[in-house]
């Protein structure tokens, strides 16, 4: 599985906090899946967790070269954490369709955050059936 694309994003955590204060549940539901919301709620630093997920979604859009547009929904990109805490990406909807078209078989993601910033880096690996 070769690397076919990379995306990175930096998010200002206070900006995410402002969006939540200004738009409340509407913003949170539009951008984050129920599993992402539950993960953030289960943690004290929930704004950091959400900002990390926001950065991860933007990093994934960057590696696909599309940016946020058209039929893409933020919730098409879901970030969950495995038992060890490592983040994992699941795609659906329009984003999954674009990823399939690009021959992306797997996306590896890494997230880091402080009270001020969240950064995510995403690497797309080729679908082994198409890119041997
Ligand atoms: C996993 C680890 C590297 C995270 O680093 P950190 O500096 O604590 O925190 P960061 O903000 O940089 O990163 C947090 C993100 O790391 C990711 N992460 C967590 N566990 C991970 C793992 N096992 N593998 C890969 N990524 C992981 C998550 O995405 C997490 O963000 P999220 O919960 O919002 O999804 C760290 O907790 C760790 O295990 N360090 C090893 C040493 C150690 O155990 N130290 C603690 C006692 S001194």
């Amino acid at each position: 599985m070769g690397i076919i694309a990379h995306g990175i994003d930096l998010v200002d955590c206070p900006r995410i906090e402002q969006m939540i204060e200004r738009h409340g549940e509407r913003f949170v539901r539009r951008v984050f899946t129920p599993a992402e919301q539950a993960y953030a709620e289960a943690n004290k630093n929930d704004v950091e967790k959400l900002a990390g997920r926001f950065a991860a979604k933007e990093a994934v859009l960057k590696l696909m070269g599309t940016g946020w547009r058209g039929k893409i929904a933020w919730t098409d990109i879901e970030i969950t954490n495995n038992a060890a805490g490592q983040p994992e990406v699941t795609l659906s909807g329009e984003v999954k369709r674009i990823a399939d078209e690009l021959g992306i078989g797997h996306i590896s993601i890494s997230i880091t955050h402080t009270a001020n910033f969240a950064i995510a880096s995403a690497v797309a690996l080729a679908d082994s059936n198409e890119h041997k």
Side-chain angles (χ1 to χ4, degrees):
M1 264 206 220
I3 293 173
I4 53 174
H6 177 235
I8 188 166
D9 194 63
L10 169 69
V11 166
D12 195 21
C13 297
R15 213 188 110 227
I16 295 294
E17 194 162 22
Q18 278 170 17
M19 292 293 281
I20 295 168
E21 279 166 9
R22 212 172 288 163
H23 306 287
E25 278 298 301
R26 221 179 87 224
F27 166 74
V28 173
R29 276 201 303 265
R30 192 165 70 92
V31 177
F32 303 102
T33 67
E36 290 170 337
Q37 293 174 42
Y39 181 73
E41 275 162 23
N43 286 279
K44 260 195 201 156
N45 53 349
D46 58 333
V47 171
E48 280 184 38
K49 299 279 180 192
L50 291 179
R53 268 135 203 80
F54 196 84
K57 288 165 193 264
E58 295 206 300
V60 169
L61 291 180
K62 278 189 189 171
L63 72 76
M64 293 199 299
T66 57
W68 189 77
R69 63 154 168 83
K71 296 181 205 156
I72 291 175
W74 289 111
T75 48
D76 286 353
I77 305 160
E78 179 174 66
I79 312 299
T80 53
N81 296 69
N82 68 18
Q86 189 170 24
E88 294 175 340
V89 185
T90 307
L91 303 183
S92 61
E94 178 70 359
V95 176
K96 170 92 169 81
R97 195 193 62 72
I98 298 168
D100 287 348
E101 212 172 86
L102 294 171
I104 294 172
H106 179 77
I107 293 177
S108 177
I109 195 109
S110 191
I111 299 172
T112 184
H113 42 68
T114 66
N116 292 320
F117 299 108
I119 296 173
S121 170
V123 173
L125 302 171
D127 185 335
S128 51
N129 293 327
E130 291 183 29
H131 300 262
K132 278 189 175 160

